Amino acid sequence: DAMVIQNPRYQVTQFGKPVTLSCSQTLNHNVMYWYQQKSSQAPKLLFHYYDKDFNNEADTPDNFQSRRPNTSFCFLDIRSPGLGDAAMYLCATSRDLSGRAYEQYFGPGTRLTVT
Amino acid sequence: AQSVAQPEDQVNVAEGNPLTVKCTYSVSGNPYLFWYVQYPNRGLQFLLKYITGDNLVKGSYGFEAEFNKSQTSFHLKKPSALVSDSALYFCAVSSDSGNTPLVFGKGTRLSVIA
């Protein structure tokens, strides 16, 4: 089945120690998104890639970076995690942008704990 | 700027009864409206969307939603609730006005009681 895969499902890192979360998709979608979700709140968009074009949300901290080496994979790098970065991180894909009416497909998420 | 309101943090309904989860929105241009469901420790799952056409949209698992332009609402409904419908439900909106992102409501937790 076509799907969005996130690894690992659970990640524990130390305060200030860089961490990378990964996402892959078999849907061949053009757009990939990274969201941060805390405590059953609404997902907060961090950034998205439209193909190779990177789009950063204005309030996304510089501590968060992303890479998309090819269509299938996208990575979220947190350079120096703080306690406030503990959250569920959701990857999503869509065939085209939401402003063109396309729904997003989400992975299962990676729950990040910062100790 | 576009926004979504889900006025209820929690909705409780007895199994077999109809359920409604409310959503109102504000956008520039024509809205694109979505409902997603999230089960514990899982990602969001797409249920249905309204783009244009018939105001009543049918989606997965027997859910449907009614677009009401005059009331700027897009309430999620199901005729007969199941215990397995218990989850967190998010309404989301974008629009045809420029390159608009998807904006999520804060979510409504649905509890279906046997």
Side-chain angles (χ1 to χ4, degrees):
Chain A
D1 287 339
M3 56 197 312
V4 182
I5 302 161
Q6 290 188 246
N7 285 306
R9 293 293 312 278
Y10 300 91
Q11 176 74 57
V12 179
T13 190
Q14 293 178 337
F15 182 93
K17 185 175 182 180
V19 65
T20 295
L21 309 182
S22 72
C23 176
S24 63
Q25 54 133 339
T26 61
L27 297 160
N28 202 32
H29 282 171
N30 287 322
V31 192
M32 294 188 78
Y33 308 82
W34 279 105
Y35 289 89
Q36 180 191 65
Q37 187 182 29
K38 294 186 175 182
S39 304
S40 297
Q41 297 175 17
K44 177 181 181 297
L45 182 64
L46 296 174
F47 23 60
H48 75 270
Y49 275 94
Y50 185 90
D51 196 10
K52 295 182 180 179
D53 292 334
F54 177 71
N55 295 271
N56 198 33
E57 293 302 298
D59 58 353
T60 298
D62 292 340
N63 198 26
F64 292 85
Q65 304 286 323
S66 185
R67 296 169 283 135
R68 188 179 186 187
N70 54 53
T71 300
S72 300
F73 285 87
C74 196
F75 300 96
L76 171 62
D77 301 309
I78 308 177
R79 292 192 297 187
S80 181
L83 297 179
D85 296 328
M88 175 76 89
Y89 289 88
L90 298 169
C91 175
T93 73
S94 62
R95 186 175 302 173
D96 205 322
L97 297 169
S98 299
R100 298 175 189 158
Y102 286 91
E103 64 271 21
Q104 296 181 19
Y105 294 85
F106 285 79
T110 295
R111 184 167 295 283
L112 179 68
T113 300
V114 182
T115 62
Chain B
Q2 57 198 42
S3 64
V4 179
Q6 293 182 242
E8 301 153 318
D9 291 335
Q10 174 94 30
V11 170
N12 298 319
V13 64
E15 187 175 31
N17 282 2
L19 69 87
T20 299
V21 182
K22 295 180 180 178
C23 172
T24 58
Y25 66 90
S26 174
V27 295
S28 300
N30 294 309
Y32 300 139
L33 295 153
F34 303 81
W35 275 102
Y36 290 84
V37 60
Q38 186 176 31
Y39 297 99
N41 293 313
R42 302 296 299 273
L44 278 68
Q45 187 174 335
F46 170 71
L47 279 178
L48 51 80
K49 69 179 180 182
Y50 171 83
I51 304 303
T52 187
D54 194 347
N55 289 343
L56 184 64
V57 178
K58 294 187 182 296
S60 306
Y61 312 120
F63 284 94
E64 58 189 29
E66 186 165 13
F67 171 65
N68 187 317
K69 187 173 183 178
S70 63
Q71 296 185 3
T72 61
S73 67
F74 189 57
H75 301 332
L76 181 70
K77 300 181 179 184
K78 187 174 182 181
S80 178
L82 301 172
V83 172
S84 57
D85 293 330
S86 299
L88 188 58
Y89 289 80
F90 290 99
C91 182
V93 66
S94 65
S95 80
D96 65 354
S97 177
N99 187 10
T100 53
L102 192 63
V103 174
F104 286 89
K106 64 180 175 62
T108 298
R109 186 165 299 283
L110 173 68
S111 291
V112 181
I113 304 158

